[in-house]
Amino acid sequence: MCGIVGYVGKRSCTDVLMNALSKLEYRGYDSAGIAVFENGKIRVEKSKGRLADLADKMEKTGRPEGHAGIGHTRWATHGEPSDKNSHPHSGADVTLVHNGIIENYKKLREFLINQGNTFTSETDTEVVAKLISYYYKGDPVEAIIAATKELQGSYALGIVFKDYVDTVFAVRCESPLIVGIGKDESYIASDVPAILNYTKDYYLLEPGEIAVLNPYGAKIYDHHYQCIEKELKTADWDMDAAEKQGYEHFMLKEIHEQPTAIKTTIMPRISDGLPNLEECGITYDKLLRYNKVFVVACGTAMHAGVVGKYVIEKLARVPVTVDIASEFRYRDPLVGEGDLVIIISQSGETADSLAALRLSKDRGADTLAIVNAKGSSIAREADMLIYTHAGPEIAVASTKAYMVQIAVMYLLAFEIALAKKVIDEDEGKRLIKELEAVPDVIQKILEEKPDTQFAASKLINTDSLLYIGRGLDYALSMEGSLKLKEISYIHSESYAAGELKHGTISLISDSMPVIAVVTQPDLALKTVSNIKEVKARGAYVILVCSDNIQVDEEAYDYKLTVPAVDSLLMPMTAVVPLQLIAYYTSVLRGNDVDKPRNLAKSVTVE
Ligand code: AGP
């Protein structure tokens, strides 16, 4: 989604803004713009398209020269991607950039038109600029407080006032924003990687707080205009983590980071060979109280929840419901006291997942967040928290975050099963040993480089394909299918193999390839029968299977094998070839792998 940056200091503001915005490109955007104080006046430059288009435009007009300003990458919500809808937007005294959605913007727009304002864009953001101008009587913070009281929805704003040269203001509600602190300079940013080149120290702005940045530092006020002291945080990511380090794409780098990410995530949660989640607020006593478990998330994180469901139900015999967050929040779910709601989110800022968390808390359920981004809203608001330690995930297509999310779901499943005494300590220790061995198996798969490029070459000209599997293989197929469609732009669906005959098999022909996942020995024979049925109807079949399962050669056209681990853990290893197939299909089709069209990394609006 949109990215915000701002700078005040001695450096060239345009250079800093453009560099910081480039670090937010992964969030997804369709236009960009900056506003810089040049010779005491605010100069705005903006353009539809990529940052390179903005840079080209400024080559012609001359880059703004100054030491304070704000910048933005826009992911269109209100109004098409165009120069005029790009941020920054202005009112009489104010220019600003905005992340989020103002839900009551139409009413406010009418009010402002009646006050004599005219609008140049279709955005909700221009309404905010004009509203702050309306309230501005000489004190920017007062104007921001008065205007934001009227806003409904979500926002993070970077603001400059024409009377306050070389000063940047910021405020947030729902959409995240940080204030970076360097030596004689300060920054605002919607995400840590934007400023890692300059500083690792930052304040996390809370909803309603207002930051005032000038060349001497930053002051933060609450919404009563009281100056407040905040804890300065230090990012534990370094710039290397947010760079490609020789890989052609972030996605490929992140696939290769998976073994380390699993180790960093699980090792601190294992003691004496058993899971230990006490530090995350999870005890046997608590786990024994829950009769029902809900997993609520979006996209890939929701698919990690589906794997979790299979594993928790199988091992711990507790019923688990997996919900898409945008459905859960509006379906009046039967959730309440005695239930555990697990929210999974890489960014910790997904609007629907955050709303589902709040709804569950309101209804008396205990909430547990599994989150990658430190200090994010979901992480802060949940009753219990397990951080995944994947480091920054830059590619829009999630890979290593999914891997560590499922690693945590395994730890949790083992812990619930132990608490409920459905398994004994010996079995718990055996399972942990198996889990600890997985990173090396994945490393081996990556080193041996399965020929996923060949599989990808068979898919590049197809319009549509199916992923099939049973049980955990079906859970995994969901993720394989999403990965492929989001970056290759080829339509695909995942199907429970046994469900094909109930309608979908009519789609099968020689122009509909099938990727079949077979890693569960107890289900293999059943799935292989289904594979033969699609093969007999002309489908080109790519089989992804574990090396302990024999499949007749006539059942498939191309086979990718992964080493067998405990069957419960197979999604962790078998997902790797599926990720690579998606990656290479996207590369071969010449797509922008890391920044697929129309997608945003962090979906902070509904
Ligand atoms: C997957 O590759 C996507 N990036 C997307 O489905 C993502 O998992 C989803 O938007 C949820 O994001 P979150 O984990 O940050 O909540």
Side-chain angles (χ1 to χ4, degrees):
M1 303 251 108
C2 309
I4 287 183
V5 298
Y7 175 71
V8 182
K10 294 196 176 91
R11 303 174 200 255
S12 152
C13 181
T14 300
D15 287 356
V16 173
L17 296 179
M18 292 298 280
N19 180 281
L21 286 175
S22 74
K23 306 295 176 209
L24 296 181
E25 282 193 288
Y26 73 94
R27 292 168 67 99
Y29 71 107
D30 42 49
S31 53
I34 61 172
V36 174
F37 280 103
E38 188 179 59
N39 301 323
K41 292 214 166 74
I42 298 169
R43 181 173 152 201
V44 173
E45 291 288 342
K46 51 190 190 174
S47 165
K48 180 184 165 189
R50 296 283 176 190
L51 280 174
D53 298 305
L54 176 63
D56 283 353
K57 194 170 178 187
M58 292 192 297
E59 282 312 310
K60 288 174 199 132
T61 54
R63 285 162 79 87
E65 288 189 13
H67 299 282
I70 50 178
H72 192 258
T73 44
R74 174 176 187 251
W75 189 83
T77 56
H78 296 73
E80 54 166 13
S82 66
D83 285 2
K84 73 175 168 48
N85 287 333
S86 310
H87 300 205
H89 289 285
S90 300
D93 305 288
V94 173
T95 295
L96 58 75
V97 291
H98 165 221
N99 281 5
I101 286 185
I102 306 302
E103 288 165 0
N104 58 337
Y105 83 102
K106 277 196 178 148
K107 210 170 125 211
L108 292 170
R109 192 177 158 115
E110 271 168 36
F111 167 75
L112 290 162
I113 289 171
N114 288 336
Q115 298 299 316
N117 285 283
T118 48
F119 284 81
T120 56
S121 77
E122 300 148 81
T123 64
D124 51 344
T125 304
E126 195 180 354
V127 170
V128 186
K130 295 203 160 50
L131 191 68
I132 297 178
S133 273
Y134 171 79
Y135 280 110
Y136 178 62
K137 306 282 179 268
D139 184 330
V141 175
E142 273 181 5
I144 293 169
I145 291 174
T148 49
K149 274 190 190 148
E150 306 230 0
L151 301 180
Q152 288 165 12
S154 58
Y155 54 84
L157 302 167
I159 316 165
V160 286
F161 286 75
K162 71 176 178 21
D163 300 341
Y164 284 75
V165 175
D166 288 352
T167 306
V168 168
F169 298 82
V171 63
R172 69 159 284 225
C173 172
E174 304 292 343
S175 307
L177 203 64
I178 58 165
V179 176
I181 302 296
K183 192 170 170 331
D184 299 327
E185 56 187 5
S186 28
Y187 304 82
I188 57 168
S190 41
D191 211 346
V192 176
I195 56 168
L196 277 179
N197 259 342
Y198 307 105
T199 182
K200 284 184 168 189
D201 297 328
Y202 67 94
Y203 297 115
L204 205 60
L205 222 52
E206 297 289 339
E209 290 178 352
I210 298 146
V212 183
L213 287 64
N214 60 37
Y216 315 106
K219 278 195 169 166
I220 298 179
Y221 299 92
D222 66 14
H223 58 285
H224 302 298
Y225 209 164
Q226 296 297 309
C227 193
I228 50 173
E229 293 292 320
K230 287 185 71 81
E231 181 201 348
L232 192 63
K233 298 185 180 292
T234 303
D236 57 5
W237 299 347
D238 55 20
M239 221 28 234
D240 281 358
E243 298 289 352
K244 284 189 205 149
Q245 291 177 321
Y247 287 94
E248 203 178 331
H249 298 99
F250 279 111
M251 183 179 174
L252 192 59
K253 175 188 170 230
E254 287 159 6
I255 289 172
H256 282 80
E257 285 172 343
Q258 294 183 114
T260 308
I262 301 169
K263 284 186 203 162
T264 326
T265 299
I266 64 168
M267 294 322 273
R269 280 75 186 249
I270 294 172
S271 61
D272 298 329
L274 285 170
N276 186 338
L277 301 171
E278 269 181 40
E279 242 191 287
C280 312
I282 300 163
T283 58
Y284 278 12
D285 279 356
K286 270 192 188 164
L287 293 176
L288 284 172
R289 274 191 248 143
Y290 305 128
N291 301 318
K292 258 187 299 162
V293 175
F294 290 83
V295 185
V296 188
C298 303
T300 287
M302 190 269 292
H303 294 157
V306 180
V307 171
K309 172 188 165 73
Y310 276 93
V311 179
I312 294 173
E313 289 192 340
K314 183 154 193 149
L315 265 189
R317 312 306 296 159
V318 180
V320 181
T321 306
V322 181
D323 262 278
I324 295 168
S326 54
E327 289 295 310
F328 180 84
R329 64 183 290 194
Y330 292 118
R331 77 168 167 84
D332 195 8
L334 291 170
V335 66
E337 260 177 61
D339 297 336
L340 173 65
V341 177
I342 303 172
I343 307 285
I344 308 179
S345 176
Q346 189 285 128
S347 64
E349 299 293 350
T350 301
D352 287 316
S353 304
L354 181 58
L357 168 75
R358 289 177 180 162
L359 179 141
S360 307
K361 283 181 79 168
D362 284 350
R363 297 202 174 179
D366 279 4
T367 54
L368 162 63
I370 298 174
V371 168
N372 196 43
K374 309 272 154 49
S376 54
S377 304
I378 293 174
R380 282 180 292 140
E381 292 188 28
D383 303 314
M384 296 166 273
L385 168 66
I386 307 180
Y387 273 126
T388 51
H389 298 304
E393 190 178 64
I394 304 294
V396 166
S398 183
T399 52
K400 63 176 180 173
Y402 171 82
M403 184 65 89
V404 290
Q405 286 161 355
I406 58 176
V408 167
M409 290 311 282
Y410 285 113
L411 282 180
L412 201 59
F414 301 167
E415 188 76 333
I416 301 174
L418 284 161
K420 300 226 171 218
K421 295 196 168 37
V422 188
I423 60 169
D424 61 16
E425 277 199 14
D426 285 348
E427 177 62 359
K429 285 185 177 168
R430 185 192 72 78
L431 288 165
I432 285 289
K433 252 200 176 138
E434 296 278 347
L435 181 62
E436 285 173 330
V438 165
D440 289 344
V441 178
I442 296 176
Q443 190 62 42
K444 194 165 161 250
I445 296 172
L446 291 167
E447 279 163 14
E448 285 175 359
K449 294 191 194 313
D451 198 355
T452 46
Q453 292 187 55
F454 178 80
S457 72
K458 293 286 173 191
L459 303 178
I460 51 171
N461 294 319
T462 193
D463 293 328
S464 188
L465 70 141
L466 286 186
Y467 284 72
I468 61 169
R470 284 173 182 253
L472 278 167
D473 292 335
Y474 172 47
L476 182 57
S477 297
M478 293 178 185
E479 177 54 11
S481 168
L482 177 66
K483 211 82 313 171
L484 184 91
K485 72 183 137 196
E486 69 178 324
I487 56 172
S488 74
Y489 317 147
I490 297 172
H491 170 255
S492 84
E493 294 301 329
S494 53
Y495 255 82
E499 180 67 7
L500 277 177
K501 282 202 275 292
H502 300 282
T504 309
I505 202 165
S506 67
L507 294 174
I508 298 292
S509 72
D510 57 5
S511 57
M512 168 77 89
V514 170
I515 298 185
V517 185
V518 186
T519 72
Q520 302 296 303
D522 56 336
L523 296 170
L525 280 178
K526 305 270 177 209
T527 315
V528 170
S529 301
N530 302 129
I531 299 172
K532 286 180 177 165
E533 286 158 9
V534 295
K535 182 91 178 79
R537 286 158 180 83
Y540 183 88
V541 175
I542 296 169
L543 176 71
V544 174
C545 78
S546 52
D547 62 8
N548 60 342
I549 294 177
Q550 297 305 318
V551 178
D552 304 342
E553 276 183 23
E554 64 270 22
Y556 58 84
D557 294 283
Y558 186 65
K559 180 166 86 163
L560 287 160
T561 345
V562 284
V565 294
D566 187 283
S567 60
L568 268 187
L569 301 171
M570 278 309 298
M572 295 183 85
T573 54
V575 75
V576 176
L578 298 187
Q579 293 168 337
L580 289 168
I581 288 173
Y583 171 77
Y584 285 115
T585 308
S586 177
V587 171
L588 291 173
R589 283 169 68 101
N591 295 350
D592 190 344
V593 177
D594 288 334
K595 298 187 287 283
R597 69 186 181 201
N598 305 337
L599 289 178
K601 180 69 182 163
S602 175
V603 183
T604 50
V605 294
E606 321 189 22

